[in-house]
Amino acid sequence: MRIGEVAEKAGVSVRALRYYEEQDLLQSDRSAGGQRQYPDAAVGRVRLIQQLFAAGLPSRSVREVLPCVDSGKVAPGLLDHLETERARISQRIIDLLAARDRLDAVIANTRNPPPHCDHTQ
């Protein structure tokens, strides 16, 4: 699959794919004409990379995690790091849910203000 196809299917820019290659997160082969060729699995890999970045993992951590995803095995030292990252992500989810709940309350009060509250003035 060519770089533009992967970018479109994964919902990222071609520039992002080149960055992932520079960071050794994604590999491609070169055609005789020098064009990048990716395996079909590259789309799923790019989506995983995006998820890990969105969760706040730096590229160094993503680079360490990807082989574990492929093999299903994690070195003991890395396991501690992954558990720490998981705890951080879990706390972030809790914080985001609390923020969403607060926004829901503001929206509900704005749409249906309590009788003692007058938003028309």
Side-chain angles (χ1 to χ4, degrees):
M1 196 177 325
R2 290 176 29 183
I3 193 168
E5 293 174 274
V6 175
E8 183 178 335
K9 288 182 179 183
V12 300
S13 67
V14 168
R15 185 175 180 181
L17 295 178
R18 289 184 184 124
Y19 173 77
Y20 297 161
E21 281 196 59
E22 289 171 11
Q23 296 298 309
D24 202 25
L25 304 174
L26 185 66
Q27 288 76 38
S28 67
D29 293 320
R30 296 290 181 147
S31 69
Q35 294 181 327
R36 289 175 169 89
Q37 294 290 324
Y38 295 91
D40 291 340
V43 173
R45 183 131 182 137
V46 169
R47 288 182 179 149
L48 173 59
I49 292 167
Q50 288 283 293
Q51 289 172 335
L52 295 172
F53 280 156
L57 274 73
S59 58
R60 175 185 46 80
S61 294
V62 174
R63 189 173 28 260
E64 293 174 338
V65 168
L66 290 175
C68 303
V69 171
D70 295 338
S71 72
K73 298 177 184 172
V74 179
L78 181 57
L79 185 58
D80 292 341
H81 176 67
L82 294 179
E83 288 173 341
T84 299
E85 287 294 340
R86 185 185 186 289
R88 185 189 57 74
I89 292 168
S90 294
Q91 185 59 53
R92 187 168 172 214
I93 291 169
I94 290 167
D95 294 343
L96 287 169
L97 288 171
R100 185 194 63 189
D101 292 347
R102 296 289 301 268
L103 287 174
D104 285 346
V106 169
I107 291 166
N109 283 335
T110 301
R111 291 190 190 276
N112 302 304
H116 67 277
C117 192
D118 185 7
H119 292 294
T120 60
Q121 296 179 10

